[in-house]
Amino acid sequence: MLNVRRVVFVFLLLSAALLPVRADSASEAMEQGNALFALGQYEMAIFQYRVALPLLSSEQAAQARYNIGACYYQLRQMSSAVTEFREAIKIRAGSYPKASYALGLALKELGRLAEARAAFIQAAQHSGERQTEALMELGILLARDGDYQAAISRLRQALRQRSRYLPQIHNNLGVILALNGQPTDALEQFDLALKQSGGRLSEASHNLQLCHRLLDGSAPRLIAELKLSGQANQPADSRSSR
């Protein structure tokens, strides 16, 4: 009996000693993955994240899956990115706004626009309508479907977040207002976009000039030449992404 107790005690002691090593290994693998991501070594980063996965809590595993998806996105392997982003969202029981936004971008790249719109809606809803990037992308997709009023509403929601993407949002709102037959309101938005970007947003400069001509009534066909600003942000590795 004494020998059995001694064996059990030694086993528990060894187990306790091993636990920190496992945790440290997972943390180290994640850190190495993030460093490799920053260097553009996406395949090696994926390897490190997968090494870490079996040792992570569910919260950390969701983050690792998101990071793997971001790597595949950068590698232009969109189908694989979609799989990983969906898995990250599933682990978080459907509430992972950043992953939903990234999922929408990957689906958009694949031309699966209805699914992309659903992903952006999910990102907006689970962020309490505060995920600026998702609101911006959602507005663009709604406008492409011809639903200008809904697009305008989403972009105005995005403006209320006071994010660093305000110039792009003002520009895109201007384009949609122009398409909706509101050139005067569009002109105001292009002007705001240009001022808030310090004159650096080329699309806003282009659109401002065109809008002045539209208001003169000299070239109504020019409305087709208005330029939207591109997506706010691409998926990137995250140490505390939500």
Side-chain angles (χ1 to χ4, degrees):
M1 178 63 94
L2 184 60
N3 287 337
V4 171
R5 287 179 179 174
R6 185 173 297 169
V7 169
V8 170
F9 174 77
V10 171
F11 174 78
L12 292 173
L13 188 63
L14 288 172
S15 298
L18 286 172
L19 283 174
V21 174
R22 291 172 62 87
D24 288 348
S25 298
S27 176
E28 183 179 348
M30 286 289 286
E31 288 176 6
Q32 288 177 353
N34 291 338
L36 288 164
F37 187 103
L39 293 171
Q41 301 293 322
Y42 303 119
E43 285 148 338
M44 293 178 67
I46 290 169
F47 176 81
Q48 290 297 332
Y49 293 136
R50 291 203 187 280
V51 166
L53 267 174
L55 310 176
L56 300 176
S57 66
S58 60
E59 177 73 13
Q60 294 169 321
Q63 183 179 322
R65 289 286 190 184
Y66 169 86
N67 289 354
I68 293 169
C71 288
Y72 281 127
Y73 186 97
Q74 297 296 336
L75 291 166
R76 312 305 294 168
Q77 297 179 30
M78 296 301 167
S79 294
S80 296
V82 165
T83 298
E84 295 300 329
F85 292 140
R86 287 197 191 281
E87 185 62 29
I89 295 164
K90 181 180 176 182
I91 294 170
R92 288 259 190 102
S95 183
Y96 197 167
K98 191 163 187 173
S100 293
Y101 166 69
L103 173 63
L105 291 181
L107 289 165
K108 184 179 170 183
E109 291 281 352
L110 290 168
R112 293 156 60 178
L113 299 185
E115 292 176 78
R117 185 166 70 172
F120 292 137
I121 289 172
Q122 184 183 53
Q125 288 176 340
H126 286 284
S127 69
E129 305 297 327
R130 292 191 297 272
Q131 230 279 11
T132 307
E133 298 97 324
L135 291 168
M136 180 173 160
E137 290 290 338
L138 185 54
I140 293 171
L141 287 182
L142 288 166
R144 286 178 177 169
D145 289 341
D147 194 347
Y148 298 136
Q149 290 299 327
I152 290 167
S153 175
R154 288 295 188 170
L155 289 174
R156 290 200 186 279
Q157 279 182 303
L159 285 175
R160 287 195 285 272
Q161 307 312 311
R162 310 298 299 174
S163 80
R164 59 184 170 144
Y165 303 115
L166 286 180
Q168 293 96 321
I169 299 167
H170 278 297
N171 179 70
N172 291 347
L173 179 56
V175 172
I176 296 166
L177 287 167
L179 291 170
N180 198 45
Q182 301 171 252
T184 303
D185 294 332
L187 186 66
E188 180 184 356
Q189 295 300 320
F190 296 141
D191 188 52
L192 284 169
L194 202 57
K195 287 177 180 176
Q196 291 182 1
S197 68
R200 292 188 296 273
L201 190 62
S202 59
E203 300 97 328
S205 179
H206 170 85
N207 292 340
L208 189 64
Q209 294 177 40
L210 284 183
C211 202
H212 277 298
R213 294 172 68 184
L214 288 169
L215 285 169
D216 290 340
S218 57
R221 71 182 184 282
L222 291 176
I223 196 167
E225 297 182 24
L226 294 171
K227 295 181 179 179
L228 289 164
S229 296
Q231 67 190 41
N233 196 20
Q234 292 190 359
D237 73 296
S238 175
R239 293 161 181 77
S240 58
S241 53
R242 294 285 170 189

